[in-house]
Amino acid sequence: MLRPLRRAAALCLLIPPLLLAGARPAEVTPRPQRTGPPIIHGIIHYERRGVSAAPTPGILTAWLVGGAAALASQRALRGFIKAMSLAASLGGKSSLGGASSIKDVNDFMRSTVNVDLSGLPVKAEYGADVSFTLEGDKNGVFQLREGYIKWSVRNNTRLELSKDGNTHIFHDQATGQGSAPLTPDRSSITLRTEGKGKDIRFLLDVDIKHPMPTEGSALWSAMSGLNVLRITEHAGTEQWHMNVLGQQHDDPPHHGLPGDGGFGYYRSGPLDSVASGREVWLNLMDSPERIEYQLFLDCSATIIEPQPDARLVFNSATPARVEKKAKAEARPEPWGPDLRWTLPQVEDSRSQPTGDELSGAELPFSYEGLPRKNSDLGSKNIEAAFGTSRTRGVACTDPEPRPVRFFFSREADNNPLTPRAPNWFQYWKQTPAALGHESAIRYQPKVEACTSATVDEKGVTRQGRDFGYYPWNTFAEYIYVCDLKPAGFKTQLLFGGGSADGIDVFGVTVIHEWRHKTDFETWWKRGYSTRDDPDKDLIPNAEEPKVKPPPFLTGIKNAPAAFDTTKFDTFGYGYGDEHYLAYAEELNWDMGSADREDWSCPGHQAGQRCD
């Protein structure tokens, strides 16, 4: 095939913007501008099956390929003039259309005869994946700088022929796989231009060659097994074994170099038809060939799922589970399978998948089991990186880590902590909302224990649900927090006009009940006595004149200036005098101060939606 070799410096200017045309913007940190010669990266996936894919050794295959080669020679001779005309027409007006490739040439030459070799009983295949880097010179010609090929080959061809009672059995077997660097001394990949202006054409020329060591054998058995010839090969070392009428003879091993594998491809046309392509054709031996390739300026990826700061909520099942999907967009797209994922660790939780299954452009993943510590939830990163030899060979840019946030289901009770209590209680008491009293806070699920009566200024008794309580008459070292769910995790502060919801309700409850505990421990070290507290407001009469009522009580017009030692409820709002001190303490809770450690859903960081 004739290949024009005109120089054109325009390639450096034309290829980058055209290769990037239509590319989606990357959500990654821009890479520094490269200095030095311009670089183009590429990938190729190639497959060949049938006669021309068979490796050595092979008695039957060699016999069949020999006949095919003769026919191919005839085709080549008969089609030579037309092939010359085709090559001369490249870049000009041609019946082949705007883009010419090796497929077009094979189709053109095969059309000159009607011999079909596809029926030959050869079961062989060869496949290769190639990654490479092209470096441009001052003339705008890009040539192979470095590359890498991963290949595999297989042959399993068997045929029986019988005549006059004599059966001949042929069986060729061979397998091999491996990888190797591509070096300019054995392989070449060239991208150049021809012409100028609107007539400019791009020419891509690929010629890959690599060592292809195989393990295999070729068998010929005749006269019902009386005569047997077997040839074995191990990475280039060949040995003949013969058994004739029961006499065995083995030749010494013949040491040699492994055979070569590889493939060629050629294409010319406008850049949009050369920058990437996918073709399938039959070669001159009627062996099907398939190629997919892509040229690109950069190798990178972006994580697009989960969304940034996505909520990963452990559900209410037992054990709790998170089931999500990670997804990345690779450029070039065929390199998505080369991504290797790293899932963040959540202590006490088992993540899936693991090991080699953490790969691909899409990754369904799960976590099972909540952690014991609230701090093991929250913000973490899902990461991905290009983890194969071909991506390392072209210095791919790994995607930016994707931040996500792990939450627990607020009202479920599937945490691993004991004693059993709902998730919100177990985790919120590990936050600043517990005021440092985690070990001295207990959960009270019983409704009757969290119900109390109050008498308002008109003497009306009301039953109400408590958010918590301190068992003041037991000298307890702990306080109780009641179930906050019936109140919807909301409360209105009794004085001051404020309100609280979520984790702030927990904080308000703890600070309120802890004031009760502190007051009791201060005033009743020897135990409570009505003799010292005739009005039963839980403030000893001896101390009551020293205790200042909260300003929100004394500031009301005509309100008393101090607590009355003869009254249970000096101010007449239906609460004992000591209880007003606890309500006043609620105003000291700093609303929102525990939000940064609130990993409940619903919650102050998760919002109200937990899907």
Side-chain angles (χ1 to χ4, degrees), residues 446-460:
K446 297 178 180 179
V447 174
E448 62 274 17
C450 294
T451 303
S452 62
T454 59
V455 181
D456 63 18
E457 64 274 16
K458 297 180 181 180
V460 178

Side-chain angles (χ1 to χ4, degrees), residues 166-234:
N166 184 12
T167 299
H168 294 261
I169 299 175
F170 299 89
H171 192 187
D172 296 342
Q173 293 178 293
T175 59
Q177 62 180 6
S179 58
L182 296 183
T183 54
D185 60 320
R186 302 201 69 193
S187 300
S188 68
I189 303 176
T190 304
L191 180 64
R192 66 175 71 242
T193 60
E194 179 185 73
K196 56 184 176 180
K198 65 179 182 179
D199 296 324
I200 193 169
R201 297 178 68 82
F202 291 80
L203 292 86
L204 175 65
D205 189 356
V206 178
D207 186 10
I208 302 294
K209 186 178 180 181
H210 65 88
M212 192 170 71
T214 59
E215 299 278 344
S217 66
L219 171 70
W220 171 37
S221 174
M223 299 178 64
S224 300
L226 292 177
N227 293 336
V228 176
L229 170 64
R230 182 184 295 274
I231 306 171
T232 59
E233 180 176 334
H234 172 67

